[in-house]
Amino acid sequence: MIAWVHRRVHLVDRLMAAHRLRADARGLLRFVRSCVAAREHAKLEFSRLLSDALALVCSIGDRLGFSPDSMSFTTIDTLRTLSGEPSQDRRRVGAAVERGKDRYAVTLALSAPTLLLDENELHGFVRLHDEPNDLTQDRVVARVADVDAGDDPRGAIALVKAADPGRRPVLLDGDRLREALGATGTFGKADRLELAMVYARLCRLLSEQGHTVVCATISLHHQVHAWNRTSITRYVEVLLDVPLEELRRRDHKGVYDQGTDQRQVVGVGLAAEFPLEPDLIVDNHGPTSPRRAAECIFTRCLRVMQSPAKEADHDDRDHAALPSAGSGSSPPAASRRFRCHSTPRSPTPRSNAPAAPGSS
């Protein structure tokens, strides 16, 4: 450790000499240390003076019959005009408090979109009339739990990296839905279509109640895709694209085991009707990380929900890289609006791979 410190010191000395600075590393550290100490002392003195000023404002309010909370709505300019005559000063402060409360109410009424997608939105933006605003002025006091670090979030304010403030989406997984509906043995083409429509109607029911619904399902039927797009408000269709070879490599359930009956496997024994115009295609294989995939899907969903008409006019120009688990033979290139993968690259040929269970 000491040797490492000496090497760093010598390196800084050489850099300072190269830039013709008349000091060495130790002198620089002494200067930094003195600056930090001076800054902290200045902050302490400022805080002390600010505390004294606030105490003085509270004492003025107490003398005139105003609470500390009411005095927080006054301004320095108002306090500077006080004459010392109680009745006149009381009227001036009272008027200033009312003006301050009105301005504060306007501030609370201001809102902004969840995410600014364009620099022009710094000056103006469009909010859909039915977009929920989950931010609140309520207060909660509790211990803080870092969920990513493994803390127990029960009874605590949970800190989750990149989480949506106050909104908890409803997550529907195809396999779990099959189990809940008692449909674990229905894998024929007609059965799959009927079950996919049940999923679609359930998603619409939940979304109409204001929930953000994420449904991970195969549902490779053009009839279902068309119904979803015309029946579900702000519907976003994400196709997870994975070659059949990769699906077999990941297959922990033995679905694509060539030694088993493949007649009811979508994309092998059953024809897969891949979406004709998905809002996003995710190349869920290769170097793309799950985090990159999530960022891609999240950004695309926001764009579709906040400005669907404008986004529909875009051609295939958003190329984000990312691996995802799931679909197979790619839809016609002309129908692809957005594709997500890990690094810019030329299109590669795809085999007729089915959607993996739990893909959307």
Side-chain angles (χ1 to χ4, degrees):
M1 183 58 151
I2 295 176
W4 181 86
V5 171
H6 282 305
R7 286 197 299 272
R8 298 291 98 183
V9 169
H10 292 319
L11 176 59
V12 173
D13 283 338
R14 289 198 300 271
L15 289 173
M16 296 186 72
H19 290 278
R20 300 179 181 178
L21 298 175
R22 295 179 297 174
D24 57 12
R26 290 175 176 79
L28 176 62
L29 291 175
R30 286 193 297 271
F31 172 74
V32 171
R33 187 161 49 244
S34 63
C35 288
V36 171
R39 182 195 65 187
E40 294 304 312
H41 179 72
K43 288 165 59 178
L44 176 63
E45 291 299 323
F46 173 78
S47 299
R48 182 180 293 122
L49 292 173
L50 180 60
S51 179
D52 292 342
L54 292 175
L56 180 59
V57 171
C58 289
S59 68
I60 295 173
D62 184 62
R63 189 170 65 250
L64 297 177
F66 294 98
S67 68
D69 183 67
S70 294
M71 292 300 291
S72 68
F73 294 102
T74 60
T75 65
I76 294 296
D77 290 338
T78 299
L79 298 178
R80 292 174 61 184
T81 62
L82 299 183
S83 62
E85 201 284 311
S87 60
Q88 185 179 15
D89 290 346
R90 190 175 295 108
R91 286 194 298 271
R92 288 180 179 177
V93 172
V97 169
E98 292 305 315
R99 290 195 300 270
K101 288 182 177 180
D102 290 341
R103 288 194 296 267
Y104 183 62
V106 171
T107 301
L108 293 181
L110 296 176
S111 62
T114 307
L115 179 67
L116 297 178
L117 301 175
D118 187 273
E119 62 182 15
N120 293 326
E121 292 184 354
L122 291 172
H123 308 286
F125 58 87
V126 176
R127 180 187 288 278
L128 300 179
H129 72 280
D130 59 345
E131 182 176 351
N133 183 357
D134 296 310
L135 300 181
T136 175
Q137 299 299 321
D138 294 339
R139 295 181 179 181
V140 175
V141 178
R143 69 177 182 86
V144 175
D146 186 347
V147 176
D148 291 335
D151 293 345
D152 185 357
R154 290 175 294 185
I157 298 174
L159 299 181
V160 182
K161 190 174 183 180
D164 185 35
R167 186 178 304 172
R168 184 174 182 177
V170 177
L171 304 179
L172 301 178
D173 177 82
D175 289 345
R176 300 296 299 273
L177 285 173
R178 275 182 170 274
E179 180 181 350
L181 296 172
T184 55
T186 54
F187 294 99
K189 183 174 182 179
D191 295 328
R192 287 181 179 274
L193 175 59
E194 181 179 355
L195 200 57
M197 287 304 304
V198 171
Y199 297 169
R201 289 191 292 269
L202 177 60
C203 289
R204 183 177 67 174
L205 175 64
L206 292 172
S207 67
E208 288 175 345
Q209 296 178 19
H211 298 288
T212 298
V213 184
V214 179
C215 185
T217 174
I218 296 179
S219 299
L220 294 178
H221 307 278
H222 291 160
Q223 176 182 336
V224 177
H225 307 153
W227 188 92
N228 288 342
R229 198 167 291 281
T230 58
S231 304
I232 301 178
T233 303
R234 294 192 294 178
Y235 169 71
V236 181
E237 190 172 90
V238 179
L239 173 64
L240 304 183
D241 193 7
V242 180
L244 181 57
E245 295 76 12
E246 179 65 16
L247 289 175
R248 284 175 173 155
R249 189 185 69 80
R250 299 177 184 176
D251 185 16
H252 64 280
K253 295 181 179 180
V255 174
Y256 304 109
D257 187 347
Q258 292 176 308
T260 61
D261 187 354
Q262 302 282 291
R263 287 177 296 179
Q264 292 187 330
V265 176
V266 177
V268 182
L270 295 177
E273 298 179 2
F274 294 96
L276 299 176
E277 294 187 353
D279 296 290
L280 175 67
I281 300 176
V282 174
D283 290 336
N284 194 23
H285 56 94
T288 306
S289 67
R291 179 181 180 85
R292 176 71 181 119
E295 291 173 349
C296 214
I297 294 172
F298 179 71
T299 301
R300 182 60 187 144
C301 287
L302 281 179
R303 289 182 177 178
V304 170
M305 289 189 292
Q306 292 191 356
S307 53
K310 181 175 68 173
E311 290 299 332
D313 294 334
H314 288 311
D315 201 356
D316 184 19
R317 59 177 179 79
D318 249 17
H319 294 274
L322 131 86
S324 91
S327 70
S329 76
S330 307
S335 73
R336 296 180 181 177
R337 297 179 181 175
F338 293 86
R339 176 173 284 278
C340 191
H341 46 78
S342 56
T343 53
R345 63 189 180 204
S346 301
T348 54
R350 302 272 179 196
S351 60
N352 267 345
S359 67
S360 167

